[in-house]
Amino acid sequence: MPGDVESILIAAIISWILFVSIDLLFGLPKTGGVSGAREIAGEIEREGGSLHGGYMMGNIVCSPDASAGTLLAACGVYIAGIPGGLAAAVLVYVGNRICYDRGYAGTTGALAATFLIYGFTTIGFSAAHFIAGMVIAILTIQGISHTHASRLLSRLWGWRT
Amino acid sequence: MNELLLGAFGALLVLGAGATILEHDPYKKIISLSVLIAGIIPFIVDRGLLDVATAVALIAPLSTIFILMAVRRATP
Amino acid sequence: MEDITTQEIAILVCVSIGVISAVRVIAERNTMKKLPFLNVLSFAIAGSLALLLPDPLTILAAAAYFVGTTLESNAIASSYAGGPKNDE
């Protein structure tokens, strides 16, 4: 069994792949959902970033998407196992409806993350590793460099279309 | 809660309060205020007052929305 | 220091990322570009809430905090962009 630090890094990579692929699958970089998301994207593009990656970052800020679903599902699995993850999925759906969003990306992310994280807890990981890993994963998207993150997301979106 | 976490959440409170005082733009003041709220919630949860924490977490954004109405009227 | 548990190391990671992002929120001068850092801060706080007190109601508290701060960011960004009237 790997140590705690290695487990957190592995969990960060797994949750990064999970939420970025679900967000790309639901087409978040296509356009801004609300006017605030489009404003954030325009501001990132003005500083040298890329527009479609900026749309995705604005959508992550302005409504709970698959990243929020992954984090809250990890919290639910850490506290109460599978029922906690399903309760977190319901709460993410309610939160999405509050924020003028259709809410399918967040709910799908929460359900997928619940079963994925429960599967990993059976082979030696803890759900606490996934909570810390998800915080590291969102830091790499939103918190290091907006310019480079938006270019990376734009390139991934270009592969998908 | 050990002393390290106490210091970290207290640092969030102090940073948020200081930035709220020092900023001049009203939008930046509101954003700094939400840093302060982020420092308050863990102290309430640590004492076990989860219903109070839920209520505060829901009331704070609503009050921000009401403040935003005043900000938009002041700077059209 | 010799018997640091998994929960403690996870909460240390969350809290340190939260403090770093709070400093970056305050250091950033562009109003719209403050909001992604604020989002990282709310992720870190919501994660550390669940690690502080593992209780079934904590899921509700963490979700309420996260949805609340997202709604707040949404309102600030939409109001800065010219109000909800610009939404179609």
Side-chain angles (χ1 to χ4, degrees):
Chain A
M1 175 187 166
D4 278 335
V5 178
E6 294 89 350
S7 299
I8 287 176
L9 288 179
I10 294 170
I13 294 169
I14 291 167
S15 45
W16 197 94
I17 293 171
L18 178 74
F19 90 85
V20 169
S21 56
I22 289 178
D23 278 353
L24 290 176
L25 193 67
F26 278 85
L28 261 80
K30 193 175 175 192
T31 183
V34 293
S35 63
R38 288 192 289 274
E39 179 78 15
I40 292 174
E43 204 68 47
I44 288 172
E45 193 191 22
R46 215 166 295 147
E47 304 250 341
S50 173
L51 190 63
H52 286 288
Y55 280 146
M56 179 166 160
M57 291 164 68
N59 279 328
I60 291 175
V61 171
C62 285
S63 75
D65 70 320
S67 55
T70 309
L71 178 78
L72 291 175
C75 294
V77 172
Y78 176 69
I79 290 168
I82 289 273
L86 298 180
V90 172
L91 290 171
V92 169
Y93 181 72
V94 172
N96 265 308
R97 299 314 294 234
I98 291 175
C99 293
Y100 319 111
D101 197 357
R102 292 186 307 281
Y104 301 126
T107 315
T108 310
L111 290 176
T114 300
F115 293 106
L116 187 78
I117 293 168
Y118 186 75
F120 271 97
T121 54
T122 58
I123 60 166
F125 283 81
S126 161
H129 293 146
F130 276 87
I131 297 176
M134 190 59 222
V135 174
I136 293 174
I138 201 69
L139 178 76
T140 59
I141 294 288
Q142 305 262 39
I144 304 284
S145 160
H146 294 161
T147 309
H148 293 94
S150 65
R151 282 181 194 158
L152 174 65
L153 291 174
S154 243
R155 188 173 304 159
L156 292 175
W157 172 246
W159 286 347
R160 192 229 171 204
T161 51
Chain B
M1 189 191 288
N2 59 28
E3 288 80 9
L4 202 59
L5 297 181
L6 192 76
F9 292 132
L12 285 185
L13 276 169
V14 173
L15 279 175
T20 309
I21 293 169
L22 292 178
E23 293 280 4
H24 292 296
D25 184 55
Y27 286 101
K28 289 178 183 169
K29 264 189 200 294
I30 292 173
I31 292 173
S32 307
L33 203 58
S34 58
V35 176
L36 191 145
I37 299 292
I40 288 176
I41 302 279
F43 284 105
I44 302 176
V45 169
D46 184 55
R47 298 292 185 272
L49 307 172
L50 290 167
D51 44 356
V52 181
T54 310
V56 170
L58 290 178
I59 289 170
L62 288 181
S63 61
T64 302
I65 291 173
F66 284 112
I67 296 171
L68 274 171
M69 290 182 187
V71 169
R72 280 177 55 206
R73 186 166 300 165
T75 58
Chain C
M1 201 58 203
E2 64 278 1
D3 52 349
I4 182 163
T5 63
T6 301
Q7 185 224 3
E8 283 170 347
I9 193 166
I11 199 168
L12 281 179
V13 169
C14 285
V15 166
S16 52
I17 289 177
V19 172
I20 291 169
S21 61
V23 171
R24 291 201 65 174
V25 167
I26 294 173
E28 175 69 49
R29 297 318 302 162
N30 189 332
T31 306
M32 277 297 108
K33 290 185 73 179
K34 279 172 184 270
L35 289 174
F37 296 126
L38 189 65
N39 195 17
V40 179
L41 175 62
S42 61
F43 265 83
I45 296 294
S48 56
L49 288 190
L51 293 166
L52 267 179
L53 186 62
D55 184 272
L57 260 182
T58 313
I59 304 174
L60 182 63
Y65 172 70
F66 192 83
V67 171
T69 184
T70 306
L71 185 63
E72 191 176 2
S73 300
N74 195 340
I76 291 173
S78 297
S79 174
Y80 192 84
K85 290 188 293 297
N86 286 4
D87 276 344
E88 61 269 4

